[in-house]
Amino acid sequence: MADSYDGYKENTAGRANVEDTPELVAYYKKLEEMKVGALWTVANKIEPWQPAPESVPVLWRYDDLREHVLQSVTLVSPEKAGRRVIYLENPGRKDISAAVGLLYSGLQVMNPGELASCHAHSSSALRFIMEGRGAYTIVDGHKMTLGENDFVLTPNGTWHEHGVSEEGTSCIWQDGLDIPMINALDAGFYQVHPDLNQAVSYPVDDSTVMWGTPGLKPQASAWSKPYSPLFKYQWEPTRDALKALAAISDGSPFDDVLMNYINPLTGGHVMSTIGASMQLLRPGFNGKAHRHTGSFMYQVAQGSGYSIINGQRFDWKKRDIFCVPAWCWHEHVNTSDSEDAFLFSFSDLPVIEKLNLYREEALAENQGKQLA
Amino acid sequence: MADSYDGYKENTAGRANVEDTPELVAYYKKLEEMKVGALWTVANKIEPWQPAPESVPVLWRYDDLREHVLQSVTLVSPEKAGRRVIYLENPGRKDISAAVGLLYSGLQVMNPGELASCHAHSSSALRFIMEGRGAYTIVDGHKMTLGENDFVLTPNGTWHEHGVSEEGTSCIWQDGLDIPMINALDAGFYQVHPDLNQAVSYPVDDSTVMWGTPGLKPQASAWSKPYSPLFKYQWEPTRDALKALAAISDGSPFDDVLMNYINPLTGGHVMSTIGASMQLLRPGFNGKAHRHTGSFMYQVAQGSGYSIINGQRFDWKKRDIFCVPAWCWHEHVNTSDSEDAFLFSFSDLPVIEKLNLYREEALAENQGKQLA
Amino acid sequence: MADSYDGYKENTAGRANVEDTPELVAYYKKLEEMKVGALWTVANKIEPWQPAPESVPVLWRYDDLREHVLQSVTLVSPEKAGRRVIYLENPGRKDISAAVGLLYSGLQVMNPGELASCHAHSSSALRFIMEGRGAYTIVDGHKMTLGENDFVLTPNGTWHEHGVSEEGTSCIWQDGLDIPMINALDAGFYQVHPDLNQAVSYPVDDSTVMWGTPGLKPQASAWSKPYSPLFKYQWEPTRDALKALAAISDGSPFDDVLMNYINPLTGGHVMSTIGASMQLLRPGFNGKAHRHTGSFMYQVAQGSGYSIINGQRFDWKKRDIFCVPAWCWHEHVNTSDSEDAFLFSFSDLPVIEKLNLYREEALAENQGKQLA
Amino acid sequence: MADSYDGYKENTAGRANVEDTPELVAYYKKLEEMKVGALWTVANKIEPWQPAPESVPVLWRYDDLREHVLQSVTLVSPEKAGRRVIYLENPGRKDISAAVGLLYSGLQVMNPGELASCHAHSSSALRFIMEGRGAYTIVDGHKMTLGENDFVLTPNGTWHEHGVSEEGTSCIWQDGLDIPMINALDAGFYQVHPDLNQAVSYPVDDSTVMWGTPGLKPQASAWSKPYSPLFKYQWEPTRDALKALAAISDGSPFDDVLMNYINPLTGGHVMSTIGASMQLLRPGFNGKAHRHTGSFMYQVAQGSGYSIINGQRFDWKKRDIFCVPAWCWHEHVNTSDSEDAFLFSFSDLPVIEKLNLYREEALAENQGKQLA
């Protein structure tokens, strides 16, 4: 039981502003016995004027992490570990093992010839390939071969597993999942495949053939699932699309040239709970600051520069990972005058949008630039 | 920093099963310095086999609460308190002031002539009237008069305020909100109306006239908001509808005769994040047990009986409130042979459904009855 | 073969304006042999500046029709006639037996104890009861009892049949169907029920209980069909809803107080191809003129007055029927200073809207009043 | 007035079967005076057992048409003709200048340096390029350059115009429009651009850059129009997609490998009223017969073979055009053992599907092959 109950009071009309008195404190303690409380003792805390995320901005340098990720290969087997993953732990969300907001992220490593066991869970997941050759993912019988900067989905409820072919090299990728969100909603189920691995029941990379042609879909295929039938989004056409778009468009003052990965059958986000984007910061791009709801994880797919997040500068280069918690000011800068920078990102925007919680604000002061 | 890291290991293929060694513990501690961790030390915790809610089943007896709710009138003014509410605090979710799951609930009291200040927030809210005459709610200029067992919406983003007319009596109602969910998503905004109160700009109860006729809508009205334009759901037609439906239908073995409150323009839930239902347990109804995802708050609108929740029996009568956390077995019984029992409930089902997280299971053993 | 080919030429830039020459006429004749033609000889005809309906405004007086409708009872049996219906034939659409546009309408009569044979067809149908007691309709096993000014659906693909109970009186109703539209699309199928009649497999009027309560739907019922699950729309609540709406609303300058019948699960039209409305012209209402796409049939459910359609005045009283072809100016007047007038109408608006063909224009001249 | 009224009677239970008598004929004549008729005299005609299209199967040989199309260049100027088009006239639908069902089609020719005047209409249109270099289309300021077998949209309501660049050659393309459908619905409007031509206000081929990348869309672009934002569908990626799909799929017994052109934001048809497809008949493909609702126009984009339509064989080669009226049996054969055949087609399927009128049937007899 608490001793003081008026720690959140605010002297503003329309807000709770009740000072502790002995009589009130006695009342509060009696309430606690009945599993109730006085709203005015917590109202200002649970109804902040604007989002007050516990997550903090963090940048994880790949130079620091890489050796430890590789070291895990020598320390644990995939069989013992389930998945050999180093997860990113936001200092403000250690309680729920989140990287930012309600999103989980980690770096997974796999050696040639290794194959993880097959499982299914309520969480939606994605992988973004960081290095190595020969990686592949199998989703409900569809096998996708994966190269650097490729992005692949393993949606909610699908049987899936990851591996690296015998001819490949050690592969590292970033996982992104909504585990903390699913747990917050008390909705997580987990299953191990009865055979520990599933069969590949379709031609390799068939989802690219079926759904990866612009403006066309096969007559013969129905799709009613709540996620994209296109599981793999390849790097080269994505990069080329952004370069082509850059050639004809002004870009956004905040994000320069940004494209969302979409479900080709809906034009919407790739999965129910996680969206993803790739953006091109052209040489010398010096973005303005804005803030919005939604929690974001970024990975530098190419190039170097820095981002200022709530006044703090984070320098980044290829493969670095950083997060922008909800409603934090952020601006991106490509410090090269000659090289493009590409940022991959994923977020909980599908949820924020479905629940009608999206808000956005441009920084008005100082020509839109933060003082870092 | 932790001393032991293998507390969650499971000896099952496909699950993390790594024992601490001095070498590993040293590795873990180095990881922590870099704001990362080894997934296999937490995987089995954050990916449970099935939902493991921190919320526990609770029943709040109105006989216990009522006097304390009324006492608050003498202890604090609405001006000081903001809202004079006793909130229901689930022992498992004290950290987030939740009644169950990510839902908040409280009992509010207001005296004749009182009027709370007007505000707007990202949270969606509902009220269910428990006692008193003369209560009203104003939502974006629409004033709704409210009687016992009436249910009213104050959706996300609307200006709203509650009051009791001079001619009325002391009124108590149950509030239901998604505050913990909005906070979990770092998406909460709060505004106090610049004038502290809003004008009533439409005829009283106009939303009932506009949208409350079955099978008809006014030509002259567009509605593009993501919540029901019908703000008030009255008790008498709801009760009559359930009785009429009972006369022609078998009912569900779990819920007997249950109707969902809907947005008449979509047939879907009344708000983006909170759904609500009223159900009739006919005299002698002795329901079977099932469990499903979604967190539920119940209020007994009429009658008496009991519910068994995860093996624990909770006896209830009119105005008692209880919760069923996600994936808990539950069964309802009307102990009267002659009187109907009505249960009002609200839940996070709209979110569970939109994110494709709904699952349901009937109890197979013991003819579907729990051993309490 | 034609002799002249330049009958549609227009001397306006951007329009076809080619005069016949002997050389061209020879060319045209050669084209005809190959089952082709020169577009410029017909372009101005098939692409008019604005809709040029072949339908004309018509008013059918019930005083004239009633005796002939009743006479049909003595002339043909329902068995021989299939349905004993006098259909309304627009002078401009005799080729397709349409009442207006692509809509069919007729007056059907049935004596107590008579029951038509059961059939199903691709056309969507509705009935609006004009006189008599004891009428009923059965749709896919659901039986609806019907009184004056009740409106009932028999959608595309449903087994349906009409009858009058032994205790009833001779009944007359108006049928509305989309037969000409379905034929224009070459999509009409017709089936006679193998048993000639179907069983009633649900409680009488169950669709009203299930779907006819404002703001509620049964949990236990799924509905995925492309038409309203509420088959019957009763007169009394419709009238009361319009009166209540009139008390709080200004109404439209063209239509006064108008409500659309809706599918309670979508807020949209009752069927895929036909929409329906009821409107109240308050005593003394003197409407302004507008025109829009969509073809409309009206029946006077109550009261008396007149409508001016493309400059022609049509006086009407209870049970008269009239049509407004697409893009015709029309204005309605209730000539009584004390009595309400109610107009029921149905139209092809669902199709016009789905194909993005809706346009509307208010008459600007003469304060919005036509010169009749 | 008719002399005989019983020409459609059928001796089947549930169908109209009323013989003329002097009394009835007198009655019928009296009805006609009142602009009504007896349904049973026309019911069996207007409600056929199955679709009875007035359109007939036709094949238009390009060898026959080409010279006449080119001849039009010498006979009329684009200014005088509006558009220099030879339209395809189905012998059964000469009254409405339709090629099949409610679809119009024609062959348009334009010389280098020519530019048609800009207009907008309620009809939706498409072009499929048959020969020539340098063709282009401008839609609402977006200019698309076009080559052989490219397919371009000019949707309902858009300002559009066609031209051929000075450096090009004479170009011929097939136009497809829904003019007869829009006229049947009395919904056609036509406007000539006030300046006779519009400005190109976006980079050339920008819609391909914006919307033509699989699985990506620009963040910066909203699109709420009811048609595809991707206006041009190019031949080479379409051909390659079909070849790739053929390599991993069995194909349909009726259509072999068929892909629908889609709106990349919805996965649905490219326009509200007209859909389009490209199909690959692999060498030696010998299809089975089926029939379905919807009216179809085909153009042979490549290869040679034949189709049997309602028992009649039509041999075709590149650039020939043929139609399949609704509910006609049809089967396609590629007569080459080494060369692919590609068929482009467009249809009214979007309308048929939206109105819930789609039906399909495979030929059961003779192993699914018609006797031609």
Side-chain angles (χ1 to χ4, degrees):
Chain A
M1 284 199 194
D3 284 330
S4 149
Y5 293 82
D6 59 4
Y8 300 107
K9 70 179 199 289
E10 291 179 30
N11 190 3
T12 308
R15 297 287 276 185
N17 188 21
V18 179
E19 222 158 322
D20 284 352
T21 64
E23 187 188 14
L24 277 171
V25 169
Y27 176 70
Y28 298 153
K29 291 191 185 298
K30 205 141 76 192
L31 292 183
E32 286 178 23
E33 290 164 22
M34 290 181 294
K35 299 173 184 163
V36 297
L39 174 60
W40 58 87
T41 64
V42 296
N44 298 340
K45 170 192 167 209
I46 66 176
E47 296 188 315
W49 293 97
Q50 60 184 43
E54 296 177 39
S55 302
V56 297
V58 184
L59 182 140
W60 292 270
R61 272 178 233 291
Y62 194 52
D63 281 351
D64 298 341
L65 297 185
R66 188 171 181 275
E67 65 173 310
H68 292 88
V69 171
L70 290 172
Q71 192 184 352
S72 73
V73 176
T74 64
L75 291 170
V76 293
S77 68
E79 288 73 32
K80 281 284 183 189
R83 286 145 297 168
R84 212 156 41 198
V85 176
I86 302 309
Y87 72 96
L88 310 176
E89 192 175 59
N90 196 293
R93 309 288 335 226
K94 290 177 117 167
D95 52 336
I96 57 170
S97 304
V100 68
L102 295 175
L103 296 174
Y104 160 97
S105 192
L107 301 194
Q108 188 162 1
V109 60
M110 208 167 255
N111 270 355
E114 286 186 346
L115 172 60
S117 64
C118 179
H119 57 203
H121 43 57
S122 305
S123 284
S124 293
L126 60 85
R127 308 166 71 195
F128 186 77
I129 308 299
M130 299 175 73
E131 59 173 84
R133 283 177 295 99
Y136 62 89
T137 287
I138 311 174
V139 177
D140 281 348
H142 300 272
K143 178 173 178 175
M144 276 72 67
T145 58
L146 299 164
E148 262 193 49
N149 285 344
D150 283 355
F151 158 54
V152 69
L153 311 178
T154 55
N156 165 2
T158 55
W159 289 114
H160 60 277
E161 60 207 287
H162 307 305
V164 175
S165 70
E166 295 282 0
E167 302 73 32
T169 62
S170 285
C171 291
I172 299 178
W173 61 83
Q174 182 182 6
D175 289 327
L177 290 98
D178 57 9
I179 292 172
M181 186 191 303
I182 302 307
N183 286 337
L185 291 165
D186 293 329
F189 294 85
Y190 191 93
Q191 278 178 283
V192 176
H193 195 282
D195 304 329
L196 284 184
N197 286 109
Q198 66 182 316
V200 175
S201 44
Y202 299 91
V204 171
D205 285 324
D206 74 313
S207 100
T208 303
V209 173
M210 300 279 283
W211 308 103
T213 304
L216 286 172
K217 75 171 177 191
Q219 180 194 43
S221 282
W223 188 262
S224 59
K225 294 181 177 163
Y227 46 80
S228 173
L230 180 64
F231 293 139
K232 176 168 76 164
Y233 296 80
Q234 288 173 278
W235 166 236
E236 291 78 10
T238 301
R239 178 198 58 206
D240 294 349
L242 281 160
K243 302 273 290 179
L245 185 56
I248 66 163
S249 110
D250 286 340
S252 144
F254 311 114
D255 286 314
D256 206 9
V257 184
L258 188 151
M259 295 184 96
N260 292 321
Y261 293 100
I262 59 171
N263 177 338
L265 294 183
T266 65
H269 292 293
V270 292
M271 297 188 288
S272 291
T273 52
I274 309 182
S277 302
M278 181 70 81
Q279 76 193 86
L280 161 58
L281 310 179
R282 286 175 278 198
F285 175 77
N286 194 325
K288 298 198 167 182
H290 70 157
R291 60 180 177 177
H292 45 70
T293 47
S295 300
F296 283 73
M297 290 298 296
Y298 288 84
Q299 181 179 140
V300 184
Q302 191 176 299
S304 56
Y306 65 86
S307 298
I308 302 177
I309 308 171
N310 266 8
Q312 189 180 354
R313 172 169 167 158
F314 296 91
D315 286 89
W316 42 253
K317 60 180 189 180
K318 187 169 175 181
R319 297 299 163 229
D320 287 347
I321 294 173
F322 61 95
C323 71
V324 178
W327 208 241
C328 289
W329 295 111
H330 56 286
E331 61 194 77
H332 306 300
V333 177
N334 178 353
T335 45
S336 168
D337 283 341
S338 54
E339 302 296 321
D340 292 329
F342 286 91
L343 301 179
F344 169 81
S345 60
F346 67 91
S347 72
D348 59 358
L349 265 190
V351 177
I352 294 298
E353 290 172 357
K354 271 180 209 146
L355 307 187
N356 303 293
L357 298 169
Y358 189 73
R359 288 219 206 170
E360 187 175 2
E361 189 181 356
L363 182 62
E365 296 80 28
N366 194 35
Q367 275 124 18
K369 299 293 291 180
Q370 299 170 81
L371 307 169
Chain B
M1 283 198 193
D3 283 328
S4 149
Y5 293 83
D6 60 3
Y8 299 107
K9 70 179 196 291
E10 289 180 32
N11 190 4
T12 307
R15 298 287 275 185
N17 188 22
V18 179
E19 223 158 321
D20 284 353
T21 64
E23 187 187 16
L24 278 171
V25 169
Y27 176 71
Y28 298 153
K29 290 190 184 299
K30 204 139 79 196
L31 292 183
E32 285 179 23
E33 290 164 21
M34 290 180 294
K35 299 174 185 162
V36 297
L39 175 60
W40 58 86
T41 63
V42 296
N44 297 340
K45 171 191 167 210
I46 65 177
E47 296 189 315
W49 293 97
Q50 59 185 42
E54 295 177 40
S55 301
V56 296
V58 183
L59 183 140
W60 292 269
R61 273 178 232 290
Y62 194 53
D63 281 352
D64 298 341
L65 298 184
R66 188 172 181 276
E67 64 171 311
H68 293 89
V69 171
L70 291 172
Q71 192 184 352
S72 72
V73 176
T74 64
L75 292 170
V76 294
S77 68
E79 289 72 33
K80 281 283 180 189
R83 285 146 297 167
R84 212 157 40 198
V85 176
I86 301 309
Y87 72 97
L88 310 177
E89 191 175 60
N90 195 293
R93 309 285 340 225
K94 291 177 116 165
D95 51 336
I96 56 172
S97 304
V100 69
L102 295 175
L103 297 173
Y104 160 97
S105 192
L107 300 194
Q108 188 162 1
V109 60
M110 208 167 254
N111 270 356
E114 287 186 347
L115 171 60
S117 64
C118 180
H119 57 202
H121 44 56
S122 305
S123 284
S124 293
L126 61 85
R127 308 167 70 195
F128 186 78
I129 307 301
M130 299 175 74
E131 59 173 83
R133 281 176 298 98
Y136 62 88
T137 288
I138 312 173
V139 177
D140 281 346
H142 300 273
K143 179 174 179 175
M144 276 73 64
T145 59
L146 299 163
E148 262 193 50
N149 286 344
D150 283 355
F151 158 53
V152 69
L153 310 179
T154 56
N156 164 2
T158 56
W159 289 114
H160 61 277
E161 61 207 288
H162 307 305
V164 175
S165 70
E166 295 281 1
E167 302 75 31
T169 63
S170 285
C171 290
I172 299 178
W173 60 83
Q174 181 182 6
D175 290 327
L177 290 98
D178 56 9
I179 292 173
M181 186 190 303
I182 301 308
N183 286 337
L185 291 165
D186 293 329
F189 294 85
Y190 191 93
Q191 277 178 282
V192 175
H193 195 283
D195 304 330
L196 283 185
N197 286 110
Q198 66 181 315
V200 175
S201 43
Y202 299 91
V204 172
D205 287 323
D206 74 313
S207 100
T208 303
V209 173
M210 300 279 283
W211 309 103
T213 305
L216 286 171
K217 74 171 178 191
Q219 179 193 44
S221 281
W223 187 263
S224 59
K225 293 181 177 165
Y227 46 80
S228 174
L230 180 64
F231 293 140
K232 176 168 75 160
Y233 296 78
Q234 287 172 279
W235 166 235
E236 290 78 10
T238 301
R239 179 197 58 205
D240 293 349
L242 281 161
K243 301 273 290 179
L245 184 55
I248 66 161
S249 109
D250 286 340
S252 143
F254 312 113
D255 286 313
D256 207 7
V257 184
L258 189 150
M259 294 184 95
N260 293 321
Y261 293 101
I262 59 171
N263 177 337
L265 293 183
T266 65
H269 293 291
V270 291
M271 296 188 289
S272 290
T273 52
I274 309 182
S277 302
M278 183 67 83
Q279 75 193 85
L280 161 57
L281 309 179
R282 287 175 280 199
F285 174 78
N286 192 324
K288 297 197 168 183
H290 69 156
R291 60 180 177 178
H292 45 69
T293 48
S295 299
F296 283 73
M297 289 298 296
Y298 288 85
Q299 180 179 143
V300 183
Q302 191 177 300
S304 56
Y306 65 86
S307 298
I308 303 177
I309 307 171
N310 266 9
Q312 190 180 354
R313 173 168 166 158
F314 294 91
D315 287 88
W316 42 253
K317 59 180 189 179
K318 189 171 174 179
R319 296 298 164 230
D320 286 346
I321 293 173
F322 61 93
C323 71
V324 178
W327 207 241
C328 290
W329 295 112
H330 55 286
E331 62 195 76
H332 306 301
V333 177
N334 179 353
T335 46
S336 168
D337 284 339
S338 54
E339 301 297 320
D340 291 327
F342 286 91
L343 302 179
F344 169 79
S345 59
F346 67 91
S347 73
D348 58 0
L349 264 192
V351 177
I352 295 295
E353 290 172 357
K354 269 180 210 146
L355 307 188
N356 302 293
L357 297 170
Y358 189 72
R359 286 218 206 171
E360 187 175 5
E361 189 181 357
L363 182 61
E365 295 80 29
N366 194 35
Q367 274 126 19
K369 298 293 290 180
Q370 298 169 84
L371 307 170
Chain C
M1 284 198 193
D3 284 328
S4 149
Y5 293 82
D6 60 3
Y8 299 106
K9 70 181 199 289
E10 289 180 30
N11 189 4
T12 307
R15 297 288 275 186
N17 189 22
V18 179
E19 222 158 320
D20 284 352
T21 65
E23 187 188 14
L24 277 171
V25 169
Y27 176 70
Y28 297 152
K29 291 192 187 296
K30 204 139 79 194
L31 292 183
E32 285 178 22
E33 290 164 22
M34 290 181 295
K35 298 172 183 164
V36 297
L39 175 60
W40 58 87
T41 63
V42 297
N44 298 341
K45 172 193 166 207
I46 66 177
E47 297 188 314
W49 293 98
Q50 60 183 43
E54 295 177 40
S55 301
V56 297
V58 184
L59 183 139
W60 291 270
R61 274 178 232 290
Y62 194 54
D63 281 352
D64 298 341
L65 296 184
R66 188 171 182 276
E67 63 172 313
H68 293 89
V69 170
L70 291 173
Q71 193 185 352
S72 73
V73 176
T74 64
L75 291 170
V76 293
S77 68
E79 288 73 32
K80 280 284 181 187
R83 285 146 298 170
R84 211 157 41 197
V85 176
I86 301 309
Y87 71 96
L88 310 177
E89 192 176 59
N90 196 292
R93 310 280 346 219
K94 291 176 115 165
D95 51 336
I96 56 170
S97 304
V100 67
L102 295 175
L103 296 174
Y104 160 97
S105 192
L107 301 194
Q108 188 163 0
V109 61
M110 209 167 255
N111 270 356
E114 285 186 347
L115 172 59
S117 64
C118 180
H119 57 203
H121 43 57
S122 305
S123 285
S124 293
L126 60 84
R127 306 167 71 194
F128 186 77
I129 308 300
M130 300 175 74
E131 60 173 83
R133 284 178 293 99
Y136 62 87
T137 288
I138 312 174
V139 176
D140 281 348
H142 300 272
K143 179 174 178 176
M144 276 73 65
T145 58
L146 300 163
E148 263 193 49
N149 285 344
D150 283 355
F151 158 53
V152 69
L153 311 179
T154 55
N156 166 3
T158 56
W159 289 114
H160 60 277
E161 60 208 288
H162 308 305
V164 174
S165 70
E166 295 282 0
E167 302 73 32
T169 63
S170 285
C171 290
I172 298 178
W173 61 82
Q174 182 183 6
D175 291 326
L177 291 98
D178 56 10
I179 292 172
M181 186 190 303
I182 302 307
N183 286 336
L185 291 165
D186 294 329
F189 294 85
Y190 190 93
Q191 277 178 282
V192 175
H193 195 282
D195 303 331
L196 283 184
N197 285 109
Q198 66 181 315
V200 175
S201 44
Y202 300 91
V204 171
D205 286 323
D206 74 312
S207 100
T208 303
V209 173
M210 300 278 285
W211 309 103
T213 305
L216 286 172
K217 75 172 177 190
Q219 180 194 43
S221 280
W223 187 263
S224 60
K225 293 182 178 163
Y227 47 81
S228 173
L230 180 64
F231 293 139
K232 176 168 76 164
Y233 296 79
Q234 287 173 279
W235 167 236
E236 291 78 10
T238 301
R239 179 198 59 205
D240 293 351
L242 281 160
K243 301 272 291 177
L245 184 56
I248 67 164
S249 111
D250 287 340
S252 143
F254 311 114
D255 286 313
D256 207 8
V257 184
L258 189 150
M259 295 185 95
N260 292 321
Y261 294 101
I262 59 170
N263 177 337
L265 294 183
T266 66
H269 293 292
V270 292
M271 296 189 288
S272 291
T273 53
I274 309 182
S277 302
M278 183 69 83
Q279 76 194 86
L280 161 57
L281 309 179
R282 288 175 279 199
F285 174 77
N286 193 326
K288 298 198 168 182
H290 69 158
R291 60 180 179 178
H292 45 69
T293 47
S295 299
F296 283 73
M297 290 298 297
Y298 288 86
Q299 182 179 143
V300 183
Q302 191 176 298
S304 55
Y306 65 87
S307 298
I308 303 178
I309 308 171
N310 267 8
Q312 189 180 354
R313 172 170 166 156
F314 295 90
D315 286 88
W316 42 253
K317 60 180 188 179
K318 187 169 175 180
R319 297 298 164 229
D320 287 346
I321 294 173
F322 62 95
C323 71
V324 178
W327 208 241
C328 289
W329 295 112
H330 55 285
E331 61 194 77
H332 306 301
V333 176
N334 178 354
T335 46
S336 168
D337 284 341
S338 54
E339 302 296 321
D340 292 329
F342 286 91
L343 300 179
F344 169 80
S345 59
F346 67 90
S347 72
D348 58 358
L349 264 191
V351 177
I352 294 297
E353 291 172 358
K354 270 180 208 146
L355 307 188
N356 303 293
L357 298 169
Y358 189 74
R359 288 218 206 170
E360 188 176 2
E361 189 181 356
L363 183 62
E365 296 79 28
N366 195 35
Q367 273 125 19
K369 298 293 291 180
Q370 299 169 81
L371 307 170
Chain D
M1 285 197 193
D3 284 329
S4 150
Y5 293 82
D6 59 4
Y8 299 107
K9 70 180 197 292
E10 291 179 30
N11 190 4
T12 306
R15 297 287 275 186
N17 188 22
V18 179
E19 222 158 321
D20 283 354
T21 64
E23 188 187 13
L24 277 171
V25 168
Y27 176 70
Y28 298 153
K29 290 191 186 298
K30 205 139 79 194
L31 292 183
E32 285 178 24
E33 288 164 23
M34 290 180 296
K35 299 174 184 163
V36 297
L39 175 60
W40 58 87
T41 64
V42 296
N44 298 340
K45 172 193 165 206
I46 66 177
E47 296 188 316
W49 292 98
Q50 60 185 43
E54 294 177 40
S55 301
V56 296
V58 184
L59 182 139
W60 291 269
R61 273 178 233 290
Y62 195 53
D63 281 352
D64 297 342
L65 297 184
R66 188 171 182 275
E67 65 173 311
H68 293 89
V69 170
L70 291 172
Q71 193 185 352
S72 73
V73 176
T74 64
L75 291 170
V76 293
S77 68
E79 289 72 32
K80 280 284 181 186
R83 286 146 296 169
R84 211 158 39 199
V85 176
I86 302 309
Y87 72 96
L88 310 176
E89 192 175 59
N90 195 293
R93 310 280 346 221
K94 290 177 115 165
D95 52 336
I96 56 171
S97 304
V100 68
L102 295 175
L103 297 174
Y104 160 96
S105 192
L107 301 194
Q108 188 162 1
V109 60
M110 209 167 254
N111 270 355
E114 285 186 347
L115 171 60
S117 64
C118 181
H119 57 203
H121 44 58
S122 305
S123 284
S124 294
L126 60 85
R127 306 167 72 195
F128 186 79
I129 308 300
M130 299 175 74
E131 59 174 84
R133 283 177 295 101
Y136 63 87
T137 287
I138 311 173
V139 176
D140 281 347
H142 300 272
K143 178 174 179 176
M144 277 73 65
T145 58
L146 299 163
E148 262 193 49
N149 285 344
D150 283 356
F151 158 54
V152 69
L153 310 179
T154 56
N156 164 2
T158 57
W159 289 114
H160 60 277
E161 61 208 288
H162 308 304
V164 174
S165 71
E166 294 282 359
E167 303 73 32
T169 63
S170 285
C171 290
I172 299 178
W173 60 82
Q174 182 183 6
D175 289 327
L177 292 98
D178 57 9
I179 292 172
M181 186 191 303
I182 302 308
N183 286 336
L185 291 164
D186 293 328
F189 294 85
Y190 191 94
Q191 277 178 282
V192 176
H193 195 282
D195 303 331
L196 284 185
N197 286 107
Q198 66 181 317
V200 175
S201 44
Y202 300 91
V204 172
D205 286 323
D206 75 313
S207 100
T208 303
V209 173
M210 299 280 283
W211 309 103
T213 304
L216 286 171
K217 74 171 178 190
Q219 179 193 44
S221 280
W223 187 262
S224 60
K225 294 183 177 161
Y227 46 80
S228 174
L230 180 63
F231 293 140
K232 176 168 76 162
Y233 296 79
Q234 288 173 279
W235 166 236
E236 290 78 11
T238 301
R239 178 198 58 204
D240 293 350
L242 282 161
K243 301 274 290 181
L245 185 54
I248 66 162
S249 111
D250 285 341
S252 143
F254 311 115
D255 285 315
D256 207 8
V257 183
L258 189 151
M259 295 185 95
N260 293 321
Y261 293 100
I262 59 171
N263 177 337
L265 293 182
T266 65
H269 293 292
V270 291
M271 297 189 288
S272 290
T273 53
I274 309 182
S277 302
M278 182 69 81
Q279 75 194 86
L280 161 57
L281 309 180
R282 287 176 279 199
F285 175 77
N286 193 325
K288 297 197 169 183
H290 69 157
R291 60 181 179 178
H292 45 69
T293 47
S295 299
F296 283 73
M297 290 297 297
Y298 288 86
Q299 181 180 141
V300 183
Q302 191 176 300
S304 56
Y306 65 86
S307 298
I308 302 178
I309 308 171
N310 267 9
Q312 189 181 355
R313 173 169 167 159
F314 295 91
D315 287 89
W316 42 253
K317 59 180 190 179
K318 187 168 175 180
R319 297 299 164 228
D320 286 347
I321 293 173
F322 61 94
C323 71
V324 178
W327 207 241
C328 290
W329 295 113
H330 55 286
E331 62 195 75
H332 305 302
V333 177
N334 178 353
T335 46
S336 168
D337 283 340
S338 53
E339 301 296 321
D340 290 329
F342 287 90
L343 301 180
F344 170 79
S345 60
F346 68 91
S347 72
D348 59 358
L349 265 191
V351 178
I352 295 296
E353 290 172 357
K354 269 180 208 146
L355 307 187
N356 302 293
L357 297 169
Y358 189 73
R359 286 218 206 170
E360 187 176 3
E361 188 182 357
L363 182 61
E365 295 80 27
N366 195 33
Q367 274 125 19
K369 298 293 289 183
Q370 298 169 82
L371 306 169

